[in-house]
Amino acid sequence: MVASRSAVSSPPVETTGTRTIRTGTLIVVSLLVGAGIAMLWSAKLVDDDIGVNSATGILGHNSLTSGISSSGAGIVFAFIAGLAGTFTACNVAAFSAIAPLMQDAPSLGARARAALRPVGWLAVGVIVVAGLYGAIGAAFGKHIPQLSTATIGNGVHVRTLQAIGIFSVIGLIFIYLGLAAAGTVPDPLRRLTARWPHTPQLVMGALIGGFLIGRPYPLFYKMFAYAASTHDPAYGAAAFILVALGNILLMAILFLVLSMTRYQQWLQSRPGRVARFTAVALLIGGGFTLAYWGLRVPANLGYGWFPTVGW
């Protein structure tokens, strides 16, 4: 959850031992909550029962087994696949972007207009990364690792290793940004934000777009395979952008709904509250992403151990 400049670039200064302990507790609890969600996560429920079934309902045919008949159908499928993948483990951390990005305003209309700006900059970051990767994927076709059927070790797919690596790195970045919002580490965006105020939103959008670089979600894989078969970079870019926009649509709607309330005013009513909420959201999102992809998935493949709850 990337926040406004006041939260990311100007973290609260801890002046007392009591406050420092409270910040430490906030960090530990947030990371434990993220790890706990990773432990309880049911991929079958979210990927199949919610994701695949919802896409099937929208399309009117089996979203996994039915072929993509044309480029136009592929474009439609891309957006629906993105929307259906909103709550998957490779995208749910995007909801950490619902930070207090908007500025408080006296009227409902003014708050809505203020909220559209950060959402727009977030979308720019998403579009740039998703479009670039989609163009590269279509150009390279089946040679790109994410579409590889090769395995190593005890039968681990290369594309799974790519997912583990990409999402673990993104999880660590989320955690670092959360620590920066809490004021415990230097803010890497401070200088850039001072010159370009929308830097935090662009960075968060780029990270969300980066989810596509490792995503193993079946509907996304199907869309990617079709885009790669066209060998058309422009088509690949368009398809990936639509997937990414579908991924963030519900998050953006929720953010805009919150902007219609006094949510921002309540956050700003006490010093440090904005930064604390930003830190909590980023740490939970980062903790979940790192624990799920860096610990739970390798454990499921026979490497290491991570507690899980069977559903």
Side-chain angles (χ1 to χ4, degrees):
M1 182 158 78
V2 167
S4 60
R5 282 174 284 170
S6 61
V8 173
S9 300
S10 303
V13 177
E14 307 299 344
T15 56
T16 67
T18 301
R19 184 63 177 275
T20 301
I21 293 173
R22 213 184 293 171
T23 299
T25 301
L26 176 145
I27 291 169
V28 171
V29 170
S30 298
L31 290 174
L32 288 175
V33 169
I37 296 172
M39 180 181 69
L40 297 169
W41 194 262
S42 171
K44 181 182 182 303
L45 171 65
V46 178
D47 291 6
D48 299 335
D49 297 345
I50 296 177
V52 173
N53 289 344
S54 63
T56 296
I58 295 171
L59 292 169
H61 55 75
N62 192 300
S63 57
L64 271 182
T65 60
S66 298
I68 298 175
S69 58
S70 65
S71 296
I75 288 294
V76 173
F77 183 86
F79 181 75
I80 292 174
L83 187 61
T86 298
F87 299 105
T88 59
C90 44
N91 189 73
V92 72
F95 281 88
S96 294
I98 306 179
L101 297 173
M102 64 281 196
Q103 297 177 352
D104 192 28
S107 69
L108 189 66
R111 289 200 299 274
R113 289 190 296 272
L116 287 173
R117 286 192 294 270
V119 169
W121 284 106
L122 185 86
V124 170
V126 169
I127 288 169
V128 169
V129 174
L132 180 61
Y133 186 59
I136 293 172
F140 279 88
K142 296 289 185 179
H143 299 292
I144 202 161
Q146 203 165 348
L147 295 177
S148 173
T149 57
T151 61
I152 63 173
N154 59 353
V156 179
H157 284 280
V158 170
R159 61 176 179 267
T160 301
L161 289 178
Q162 181 176 334
I164 290 171
I166 292 295
F167 284 107
S168 294
V169 169
I170 291 177
L172 287 171
I173 294 173
F174 270 55
I175 290 172
Y176 188 91
L177 291 175
L179 294 174
T184 59
V185 298
D187 179 11
L189 305 179
R190 181 186 296 274
R191 291 184 179 179
L192 285 174
T193 303
R195 296 184 63 183
W196 298 290
H198 297 293
T199 295
Q201 293 95 313
L202 281 169
V203 169
M204 179 54 72
L207 290 172
I208 294 173
F211 291 166
L212 301 186
I213 300 175
R215 176 163 295 170
Y217 183 49
L219 292 180
F220 176 73
Y221 181 85
K222 177 181 175 181
M223 181 283 303
F224 196 167
Y226 179 81
S229 71
T230 68
H231 298 287
D232 182 351
Y235 176 83
F240 273 58
I241 287 170
L242 285 173
V243 169
L245 291 179
N247 285 158
I248 66 170
L249 178 61
L250 294 183
M251 178 274 293
I253 291 173
L254 179 56
F255 178 81
L256 292 173
V257 169
L258 287 175
S259 74
M260 305 299 171
T261 69
R262 289 294 178 177
Y263 169 67
Q264 177 74 0
Q265 186 180 58
W266 175 78
L267 283 177
Q268 294 182 342
S269 63
R270 294 184 61 179
R273 181 177 282 174
V274 169
R276 287 194 296 274
F277 267 71
T278 300
V280 167
L282 284 168
L283 290 168
I284 291 176
F288 165 79
T289 303
L290 182 61
Y292 186 89
W293 291 101
L295 297 174
R296 177 170 169 172
V297 172
N300 290 343
L301 298 171
Y303 297 97
W305 178 85
F306 188 79
T308 57
V309 175
W311 295 99

